[in-house]
């Protein structure tokens, strides 16, 4: 029992540390993203625009990592809360693909999206977490794919009264 209490205490301290560090790192990263957006609107050359856009995208990627770290500490503390909001599945997929497309283009990779035709277009769930998971899967696929294409597919089946089980796959 004493060991379990020590483990819980250690996990709580780790969770607080991760949350604090995540906040401390995300704040300046958000500032860099915001300032780079302002720079992009300030009449810079095409070459400068490319550099600024790379800075902004790199910061956004770091923000995704920081959110992942915070999510892990939240899950470990059994405090994760999933949102229930109405969202369009195709829009969610397009947003995830848009976020990783610059990396795919640099490697001359194509991203193909296949959604089963029998699936509804409107869903209720946590679009933010779904998009985050898809971005992570796509980023990994891009990282480990040298040529060709990456295919994102979504299928699903009804599980009961108004409930579906969706299956997402990323194939490289």
């Amino acid at each position: 029992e004493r060991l379990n209490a020590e483990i819980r205490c250690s996990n709580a301290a780790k969770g607080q540390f991760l949350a604090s560090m995540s906040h401390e790192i995300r704040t300046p990263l958000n500032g860099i993203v915001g300032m780079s957006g302002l720079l992009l609107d300030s009449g810079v050359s095409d070459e400068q625009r490319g550099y600024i856009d790379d800075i902004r995208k790199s910061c956004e990627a770091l923000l995704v990592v920081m959110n992942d770290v915070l999510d892990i500490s939240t899950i470990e503390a059994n405090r994760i809360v999933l949102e229930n909001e109405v969202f369009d599945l195709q829009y969610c997929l397009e947003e995830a693909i848009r976020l990783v497309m610059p990396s795919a283009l640099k490697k001359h990779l194509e991203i193909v999206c296949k959604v089963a035709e029998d699936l509804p277009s409107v869903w209720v769930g946590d679009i933010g977490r779904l998009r985050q998971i898809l971005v992570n899967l796509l980023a990994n696929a891009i990282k480990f794919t040298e040529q060709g294409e990456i295919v994102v597919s979504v299928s699903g089946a009804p599980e009961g009264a108004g409930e579906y089980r969706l299956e997402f796959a990323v194939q490289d």
Side-chain angles (χ1 to χ4, degrees):
E1 182 60 36
R2 186 173 145 235
L3 179 61
N4 286 337
E6 288 176 7
I7 291 171
R8 284 193 302 272
C9 183
S10 174
N11 283 341
K14 180 176 70 171
Q16 287 177 325
F17 173 76
L18 289 173
S20 175
M21 288 308 298
S22 175
H23 174 73
E24 294 299 322
I25 294 170
R26 284 187 303 174
T27 300
L29 284 175
N30 279 320
I32 295 168
V33 169
M35 294 305 289
S36 63
L38 291 173
L39 270 175
L40 285 171
D41 295 336
S42 69
V44 295
S45 71
D46 287 343
E47 182 180 11
Q48 291 169 325
R49 180 173 303 282
Y51 296 145
I52 294 167
D53 198 42
D54 286 345
I55 291 168
R56 184 181 56 80
K57 288 174 185 159
S58 295
C59 285
E60 288 173 348
L62 284 172
L63 284 168
V64 168
V65 170
M66 292 311 305
N67 287 335
D68 289 348
V69 167
L70 190 57
D71 282 349
I72 290 169
S73 66
T74 303
I75 290 167
E76 285 180 350
N78 291 323
R79 294 184 320 201
I80 193 161
V81 176
L82 297 176
E83 300 294 325
N84 278 321
E85 55 193 321
V86 176
F87 69 92
D88 180 273
L89 180 60
Q90 189 66 38
Y91 175 78
C92 177
L93 292 164
E94 289 170 3
E95 282 291 296
I97 292 169
R98 184 185 63 77
L99 289 170
V100 299
M101 188 56 80
S103 299
L105 291 174
K106 283 182 183 177
K107 294 181 78 173
H108 306 288
L109 299 173
E110 183 180 357
I111 299 178
V112 177
C113 187
K114 297 179 181 179
V115 178
E117 292 180 14
D118 60 336
L119 290 179
S121 60
V122 178
W123 295 86
V124 175
D126 195 328
I127 186 174
R129 295 204 191 277
L130 176 57
R131 183 175 41 241
Q132 182 180 1
I133 291 166
L134 289 169
V135 166
N136 289 344
L137 292 171
L138 286 165
N140 282 341
I142 291 167
K143 182 178 178 179
F144 296 109
T145 303
E146 294 304 319
Q147 62 181 342
E149 66 181 16
I150 295 166
V151 179
V152 181
S153 58
V154 185
S155 61
E159 282 211 329
E163 292 185 8
Y164 264 80
R165 174 179 297 272
L166 290 178
E167 292 185 19
F168 294 84
V170 176
Q171 181 180 0
D172 57 352

